[in-house]
Amino acid sequence: MTRSRLPLALTTTSLLLATTLCTTTTAHADDDPSVPPGTEATASAPVEVDANDPDLKIPEGATLAEPKVLDIKQVVEDQSGEERREDTNADVKFALQAEVLFGKDSARLSAESKARIAAIASEIKTQNATKVRVFGFTDNLGSSAHGDTLSRRRANAVHDILDSELNDPDITFEVRGYGEQYPIADNSSESGRKKNRRVEVSFPRTGN
């Protein structure tokens, strides 16, 4: 993979359960998008447990269930915060801020942004991925309908470059625009809105 322009800094390491990658063969954004991976509804908060409760003890003759391996998630972000990479045992995800890809309220890619997308395409080749998701997001400024349209157009633009760079008929794409849905930061500040204006590219990893 092409080396990032700026030094990378490890920001977060956490444990997550591996999730199943679901893709479609859609080549462009759907009008009725599904829920992005990692944003599914979670279970309610666990109830308070009494560690001394005798019912929690393993009955005589019983055995523990087989152990489960938790997925390790590593997040690396460049110093400017413009590009973020998340790695788990199952997937690789790149999140690019819209400002480094497009002009204001535009879905036209710059020459520099095309080079960034080409680097992601190189990683997709390295992982031998055959299913790729390209999701667009905006902040909550302006109308929801405008955000939905703009995020779809931006996702389509990134998809087109990836498809051209990969030039592989065996790769299928799921391309969607979510507008202001699924923010990753607080929309009440410009710094938060900047993080929410993004395009994410994710694909399964092979462990290569």
Side-chain angles (χ1 to χ4, degrees):
M1 175 178 176
T2 304
R3 186 172 58 187
S4 174
R5 298 181 303 111
L6 294 175
L8 298 180
L10 182 64
T11 60
T12 306
T13 301
S14 59
L15 295 178
L16 297 178
L17 289 174
T19 56
T20 302
L21 176 65
C22 298
T23 59
T24 69
T25 56
T26 307
H28 286 278
D30 293 348
D31 292 328
D32 185 22
S34 59
V35 177
T39 59
E40 298 86 350
T42 57
S44 58
V47 297
E48 189 172 330
V49 176
D50 180 3
N52 297 316
D53 190 334
D55 291 333
L56 295 179
K57 295 181 179 179
I58 299 177
E60 185 176 351
T63 58
L64 292 173
E66 289 294 322
K68 294 182 178 180
V69 177
L70 295 178
D71 200 7
I72 298 177
K73 180 178 180 180
Q74 177 174 288
V75 180
V76 178
E77 187 175 81
D78 68 8
Q79 290 182 342
S80 64
E82 295 176 348
E83 183 172 333
R84 175 185 177 97
R85 172 174 175 156
E86 297 181 8
D87 283 270
T88 71
N89 293 340
D91 300 292
V92 179
K93 180 169 72 175
F94 289 89
L96 298 172
Q97 289 185 4
E99 277 79 355
V100 304
L101 298 175
F102 311 98
K104 184 177 180 180
D105 205 31
S106 170
R108 184 174 182 177
L109 291 162
S110 65
E112 180 183 357
S113 63
K114 291 178 181 179
R116 286 176 178 258
I117 297 169
I120 295 175
S122 178
E123 180 66 12
I124 293 172
K125 292 178 182 178
T126 298
Q127 296 297 336
N128 296 316
T130 58
K131 297 179 181 180
V132 180
R133 296 172 296 201
V134 186
F135 295 159
F137 305 86
T138 62
D139 57 27
N140 66 346
L141 297 182
S143 71
S144 176
H146 178 70
D148 291 345
T149 299
L150 180 61
S151 64
R152 283 198 301 269
R153 290 174 57 213
R154 286 176 168 176
N156 283 331
V158 173
H159 158 266
D160 290 344
I161 298 299
L162 285 173
D163 193 27
S164 176
E165 289 286 334
L166 294 168
N167 191 28
D168 186 343
D170 292 330
I171 295 178
T172 57
F173 290 86
E174 181 183 3
V175 187
R176 300 181 184 273
Y178 291 96
E180 64 187 57
Q181 298 183 74
Y182 311 110
I184 59 174
D186 189 350
N187 272 312
S188 64
S189 67
E190 175 53 28
S191 60
R193 291 190 294 270
K194 186 176 181 180
K195 291 181 179 180
N196 292 332
R197 298 189 295 264
R198 69 198 190 278
V199 175
E200 295 181 353
V201 179
S202 59
F203 45 91
R205 65 181 301 112
T206 61
N208 290 343

